[in-house]
Amino acid sequence: MPSATHDVVIVGAGIAGIACALELLEQGRRVLLLDRDTPERLGGLARLSFGGMFAVDTPEQRRAGIHDSVPLALADWHAFAEFDARSPWPRRWARAYVSHCTQHTYWWLRHKGIRYLPLPNWVERGQFTPGNSLPRFHMVWGTGQKLTTTLIGHLQQHRHADKLELRFGQHVQGLLREGAAVVGCHGVGEDGGRPFEVRAGGVVVAAGGINGNLERVRANWHADWGTPPQTLLNGSHRFADGTMHDAAAGVGAQITHLDKMWNYAAGVHHYAPTQPWAGLSLVPPRSALWLNWRGERIGPQPLVSGFDTRDLVTQVCRQPRQYSWQVMNRKIALKELAVSGAEHNPSIREQSKLGLLRDLLLGNRWLVDTLIEKCVDVVVAPSLPELVAKMNALQGDTAVELATLQDTVQRYDACVRQPSKFRNDEQLRRIAFLRQYRADRLRTCKQQPILDDKALPLIAIREFIISRKSLGGIQTDLCSRALDAAGEPIAGLYAIGEAAGFGGGGVHGLRALEGTFLGSCILTARAAAAALDGRMLLEP
Ligand SMILES: Cc1cc2nc3c(=O)[nH]c(=O)nc-3n(C[C@H](O)[C@H](O)[C@H](O)COP(=O)(O)OP(=O)(O)OC[C@H]3O[C@@H](n4cnc5c(N)ncnc54)[C@H](O)[C@@H]3O)c2cc1C
């Protein structure tokens, strides 16, 4: 059985593992980065991500006239998180993250060559629970792909690059312990199952969350959501299966808040799946009508994205059939329909200013046409009766009644066509509010009816709950050291990124202000690397 000695072994080469390796190379440490995946997927989920980064009081915010501050952002975080009293570490991490994300993630990345779009997006404003008081979602120019390739470039060109060893196809399955200390890990090779064992001065678990394992997602389904939906799509990493959570638990680490998850309500089946139940998470158009399986508007509060993602999931899960429909027309789809991630935002990914301008002015035609042509959950028709027939054909029954949908659409359209002072509809009120912020005005139609001859054809999209991020995980202190049942650090064991619930085993509490995942992967990674060097990056 081959063995090796390194200063530090990192399990998982997503953004958390890469950022930690970079920081350790800065210290001149010998680092072994192990990943189960293939070399072209180096970077994990971050490579596929949108690249939105939560930051507070940045130059982009100031230029846009946004006066943000750490106390305000922290108050928002606490309101949205609704922390329980079970553990102090999520609160401590929340304070550390909000206080330091700008310096230790936003600026850290800028110094490495990352740039952001000029206008931050305003996501998760909060609905019944206050959320982001201000826009804080800074889009990386080049999406998560640029973020990842930039950091990988820094690894490859580092003056100590010879001290880094990267091994792919390595499925780590357990941790090695000597006395009370963790001294390495073991596993099997992906091809052929050849066992391996690795020893090191410290082991950093950076293997992602549990949300790529749908059985585990179902087993940890939050009580607020009732029973898990029959169809649940997978928008996470195919290897985010919780193996390393079990391994950490096996040496006494506490695993907390696994029922806290950041799932999305508007998932559709991926047209080119790379794993079972693979899904795409849509950015749901605000001007579409959001309906249940019978074609009735979900309410009494209409579903509108941009306010509280968790509430959208809760409302859909409350329906007897836990999926939904969005009905719109081509004009709405062109202006508002988007898919989260690098794959479906080529203009931003390729840093094409012209392409981005074209998308904003004319709509993302490529995306809409691709979804219409390839996605099984999208149906298109020139009239409502034909649309209803196609929706029912897709559902396999006659649950959507034409009269119901006609009534819903006509009532809504009649309200849209009223002068603004008579538009007494909550969705229209929210659209009017959203359009007051320039970044949203650019991507939201101005009071657009559904039945509009100039905007046809009609489009209906069947949307499922899609599993994405684990908000819980391995409990850690502010040095990213894994903690045991007594709250004491386990010698030699660290956890970072999604594996650590993005810090402390659940830094987000119940809800995330969005764009907080990539940054906390970096911050937890940097905190672990500093601790391995005998320093504290974040004050207690
Ligand atoms: C489409 C999409 C869009 C997103 N957009 C945003 C955004 O705009 N803003 C934001 O903040 N977040 C976003 N996210 C979330 C964010 O990308 C992830 O939360 C983050 O990248 C997780 O990083 P990680 O390094 O902790 O884990 P991962 O990226 O999951 O990496 C874990 C690595 O560990 C490896 N691994 C797993 N188990 C083992 C094992 N047993 N042995 C060896 N290796 C193992 C995996 O192969 C993988 O490479 C998005 C995610 C997706 C999918």
Side-chain angles (χ1 to χ4, degrees):
M1 194 179 278
S3 78
T5 306
H6 301 265
D7 292 330
V8 181
V9 57
I10 302 172
V11 182
I15 191 166
I18 289 173
C20 189
L22 253 180
E23 292 286 90
L24 290 167
L25 287 192
E26 280 295 302
Q27 301 165 17
R29 297 299 191 99
R30 287 167 307 149
V31 180
L32 175 63
L33 194 45
L34 295 176
D35 201 288
R36 194 177 165 188
D37 222 329
T38 49
E40 68 279 7
R41 290 170 184 262
L42 173 60
L45 291 176
R47 185 182 271 278
L48 310 173
S49 74
F50 222 163
M53 306 272 304
F54 175 100
V56 180
D57 194 18
T58 62
E60 286 78 10
Q61 286 181 308
R62 287 177 185 205
R63 275 196 296 272
I66 299 163
H67 304 290
D68 204 1
S69 70
V70 168
L72 180 63
L74 191 54
D76 292 348
W77 192 294
H78 275 274
F80 225 38
E82 295 189 48
F83 285 122
D84 59 39
R86 267 189 285 166
S87 153
W89 291 109
R91 285 168 198 271
R92 288 179 191 161
W93 263 104
R95 189 154 73 94
Y97 182 66
V98 174
S99 307
H100 299 289
C101 62
T102 305
Q103 181 192 352
H104 290 317
T105 66
Y106 169 95
W107 281 110
W108 188 76
L109 289 171
R110 270 193 71 162
H111 293 313
K112 298 205 174 318
I114 293 297
R115 294 289 173 267
Y116 304 92
L117 288 181
L119 202 55
N121 285 346
W122 194 0
V123 294
E124 298 302 312
R125 299 166 190 220
Q127 189 167 343
F128 306 113
T129 312
N132 276 313
S133 301
L134 295 168
R136 300 186 172 113
F137 188 89
H138 297 68
M139 272 295 301
V140 169
W141 184 225
T143 70
Q145 182 168 299
K146 175 76 180 170
L147 182 67
T148 315
T149 52
T150 300
L151 293 186
I152 293 170
H154 280 280
L155 269 186
Q156 289 164 340
Q157 286 146 29
H158 200 279
R159 64 186 187 287
H160 293 316
D162 58 323
K163 296 191 169 167
L164 172 69
E165 191 186 341
L166 255 163
R167 288 190 206 156
F168 296 98
Q170 305 291 293
H171 184 190
V172 179
Q173 295 175 322
L175 296 165
L176 301 173
R177 199 160 47 164
E178 267 175 22
V182 171
V183 294
C185 62
H186 63 87
V188 292
E190 277 290 286
D191 56 347
R194 191 161 170 252
F196 65 85
E197 190 176 293
V198 168
R199 287 173 177 269
V203 177
V204 182
V205 176
I210 63 157
N211 275 50
N213 178 342
L214 294 183
E215 271 175 38
R216 210 142 177 172
V217 169
R218 287 195 160 93
N220 288 284
W221 200 242
H222 197 281
D224 288 356
W225 295 332
T227 52
Q230 218 175 2
T231 301
L232 190 59
L233 298 180
N234 194 342
S236 178
H237 198 288
R238 59 188 176 143
F239 295 144
D241 61 2
T243 301
M244 291 310 295
H245 293 66
D246 295 341
V251 297
Q254 292 299 291
I255 315 293
T256 59
H257 303 107
L258 284 187
D259 62 341
K260 313 279 195 311
M261 300 176 196
W262 202 238
N263 297 329
Y264 291 90
V268 293
H269 290 85
H270 202 309
Y271 52 84
T274 53
Q275 59 184 343
W277 299 105
L280 293 170
S281 181
L282 305 184
V283 178
R286 278 108 172 221
S287 302
L289 281 173
W290 209 324
L291 314 168
N292 68 13
W293 88 107
R294 291 158 62 118
E296 297 158 340
R297 203 171 179 194
I298 299 176
Q301 288 288 324
L303 304 195
V304 184
S305 65
F307 295 87
D308 186 338
T309 292
R310 188 174 193 275
D311 184 62
L312 297 176
V313 173
T314 309
Q315 297 308 326
V316 173
C317 286
R318 276 196 190 140
Q319 304 300 317
R321 286 194 203 167
Q322 295 160 306
Y323 64 84
S324 61
W325 286 98
Q326 278 202 293
V327 169
M328 67 204 84
N329 55 46
R330 185 170 173 85
K331 185 173 171 189
I332 294 173
L334 282 175
K335 192 153 187 84
E336 302 186 17
L337 184 61
V339 176
S340 171
E343 191 183 2
H344 292 89
N345 290 279
S347 303
I348 304 179
R349 187 186 66 225
E350 303 307 326
Q351 297 176 283
S352 163
K353 286 184 188 165
L354 213 62
L356 183 58
L357 193 68
R358 188 197 54 218
D359 291 350
L360 286 172
L361 293 176
L362 304 173
N364 190 341
R365 282 162 198 269
W366 165 79
L367 173 76
V368 173
D369 291 339
T370 302
L371 289 179
I372 288 174
E373 188 195 329
K374 296 184 176 171
C375 177
V376 291
D377 298 308
V378 182
V379 293
V380 181
S383 69
L384 220 42
E386 288 162 279
L387 193 74
V388 167
K390 287 190 175 179
M391 290 164 79
N392 280 329
L394 193 57
Q395 290 190 143
D397 58 20
T398 54
V400 182
E401 286 187 16
L402 175 59
T404 307
L405 188 56
Q406 215 152 25
D407 182 56
T408 308
V409 172
Q410 281 169 357
R411 272 168 188 266
Y412 177 78
D413 283 358
C415 199
V416 175
R417 291 194 165 100
Q418 291 285 357
S420 58
K421 60 187 168 193
F422 298 129
R423 282 188 200 132
N424 187 17
D425 179 277
E426 181 56 23
Q427 182 169 347
L428 295 177
R429 266 193 290 277
R430 287 210 226 150
I431 288 173
F433 170 59
L434 286 160
R435 280 180 49 88
Q436 287 177 41
Y437 181 54
R438 189 151 47 103
D440 287 296
R441 189 161 59 245
L442 288 168
R443 294 180 290 113
T444 312
C445 294
K446 188 178 175 190
Q447 312 288 341
Q448 172 61 45
I450 307 288
L451 295 176
D452 172 359
D453 288 345
K454 293 196 287 294
L456 295 175
L458 295 169
I459 300 173
I461 307 182
R462 185 177 57 168
E463 297 172 349
F464 298 94
I465 303 297
I466 181 167
S467 158
R468 181 75 104 208
K469 293 143 194 159
S470 308
L471 298 189
I474 302 167
Q475 192 177 61
T476 52
D477 65 10
L478 293 183
C479 294
S480 292
R481 295 179 297 187
L483 301 175
D484 67 15
E488 294 298 323
I490 298 170
L493 185 61
Y494 299 77
I496 60 177
E498 201 164 331
F502 301 99
V507 67
H508 294 95
L510 204 54
R511 294 184 198 80
L513 291 171
E514 275 288 4
T516 50
F517 309 106
L518 294 165
S520 51
C521 286
I522 293 172
L523 196 66
T524 52
R526 297 194 66 201
L532 279 154
D533 195 32
R535 292 178 290 114
M536 257 197 107
L537 181 77
L538 309 166
E539 74 255 17

